[in-house]
Amino acid sequence: MSRYLLFGGTGFIGEHVRAGLTAIRDAEVVVVSRETMSRTMDLSSAGQRQLTDLLYETAPAAIVNCVGATTGDPLTMTQANVVAVGRLLTAVARAAPRSRVVHLGSAAEYGAVPEGLPIDETVECHPVSHYGMTKLAGTELVRAAAGDGMDAVSLRVFNPVGPGATLGTLAGRLVARLSEGGDVRIAGLHHSRDFVDVRDVADAVVAAATVRGGLPPVLNIGSGRATAVRDLVESLVAIAAPDTRVVADGEPDAKSAAVTWQCADVTAAAHTLGWKPSLDLSTSLADLWAAHLTANVTPG
């Protein structure tokens, strides 16, 4: 039996990762979350001894960190995306030095990049938001730990989409607007992003947690395609509410406006994890809308 310790197993990505780990034969998944799961703990505020004791007790084969703050004040994001990562890595070094650590990073770490050139892991990072800066700091802690001999990798996840997408994602916000009715007004329709299905992301996380052999400290996880925001919006509108009018509404905020194009080069992930994305955007959006309808059905 292999035991996996999953932090943040009740979030958008974490729920899919939990399903993937649970499907492994003879696997035991210990879910650590602020909500009641296997263990109740907030990684963002957990003390060093609390984390160390947990690792001694569970002795996991791999530790997956899906915890992170995408919004909030700078202190909140620093605590969740930097301090918590540092404490977790310190606990691993003390109590579970043979465990693999899989940390979820973000494409926001890259910031603005030249248009038309897929981003590989060697591209220099220039984050433009506090979120991107704190996620980059977390990844650099993982990189430093790996350099000191820890079996650790940061998966830089691009723009996840699919069932369960939250208001922290473009698709999740769009679903909420479509549910309200009326025109969809959105800025930055001309921008392009790499949208990757959350289930493909979960498959990559499971592969990173289980594959044999060493891993590079950073791997990109995306679809490998740049999609215009307008195309995503119009595709979801066609699925959910075909008569809805899409209106370009000004410019996005300064941080979003600075990043006009992103596309992941996922060659390294394919080579080291044996992974590649398998779900197209139309499937992701159709399943997102279907899951939204199911979740909002009022019992008769």
Side-chain angles (χ1 to χ4, degrees):
M1 182 190 72
S2 296
R3 180 177 292 135
Y4 300 95
L5 190 60
L6 172 59
F7 289 90
T10 58
F12 171 36
I13 297 177
E15 284 192 342
H16 293 278
V17 172
R18 173 162 52 92
L21 291 173
T22 303
I24 299 172
R25 184 176 180 180
D26 296 327
E28 178 187 356
V29 183
V30 179
V31 179
V32 184
S33 171
R34 288 177 296 182
E35 301 177 24
T36 301
M37 293 296 293
S38 301
R39 300 296 176 91
T40 302
M41 178 189 295
D42 184 352
L43 182 60
S44 299
S45 59
Q48 192 65 67
R49 181 166 184 175
Q50 187 180 14
L51 283 170
T52 302
D53 288 348
L54 175 64
L55 290 172
Y56 273 128
E57 179 188 348
T58 55
I63 299 140
V64 178
N65 178 27
C66 294
V67 173
T70 59
T71 60
D73 57 53
L75 179 60
T76 297
M77 282 192 277
T78 300
Q79 187 69 30
N81 299 338
V82 187
V83 177
V85 177
R87 286 178 179 158
L88 178 59
L89 293 171
T90 298
V92 172
R94 292 176 180 173
R98 295 185 180 180
S99 299
R100 171 167 289 169
V101 178
V102 181
H103 169 73
L104 265 60
S106 169
E109 298 171 33
Y110 286 115
V113 296
E115 291 191 25
L117 184 64
I119 307 163
D120 68 22
E121 293 83 354
T122 67
V123 169
E124 189 173 352
C125 293
H126 298 285
V128 298
S129 64
H130 197 82
Y131 170 67
M133 294 174 191
T134 56
K135 290 300 289 183
L136 177 59
T139 288
E140 289 305 309
L141 288 173
V142 173
R143 190 195 298 273
D148 287 338
M150 185 178 292
D151 187 1
V153 60
S154 179
L155 303 182
R156 278 188 177 139
V157 178
F158 278 63
N159 293 263
V161 62
T166 65
L167 294 176
T169 67
L170 172 61
R173 293 192 296 274
L174 183 57
V175 163
R177 293 182 192 179
L178 289 169
S179 299
E180 296 169 356
D183 296 344
V184 169
R185 299 183 175 275
I186 191 165
L189 288 171
H190 58 289
H191 290 180
S192 293
R193 295 287 186 269
D194 185 322
F195 298 101
V196 58
D197 193 283
V198 66
R199 293 160 292 188
D200 282 331
V201 174
D203 287 345
V205 174
V206 171
T210 58
V211 70
R212 295 181 180 275
L215 295 175
V218 180
L219 288 171
N220 288 338
I221 304 299
S223 70
R225 299 182 301 274
T227 299
V229 170
R230 178 181 289 278
D231 290 343
L232 177 140
V233 173
E234 291 180 347
S235 295
L236 186 52
V237 166
I239 292 167
D243 294 332
T244 301
R245 191 168 64 113
V246 177
V247 180
D249 189 13
E251 290 296 322
D253 61 55
K255 294 186 289 294
S256 297
V259 183
T260 59
W261 189 93
Q262 278 192 334
C263 176
D265 182 332
V266 295
T267 304
H271 177 71
T272 59
L273 301 180
W275 168 89
K276 63 179 181 179
S278 61
L279 296 168
D280 60 29
L281 184 58
S282 60
T283 299
S284 303
L285 296 176
D287 291 350
L288 165 60
W289 183 250
H292 169 76
L293 293 179
T294 299
N296 288 275
V297 169
T298 303

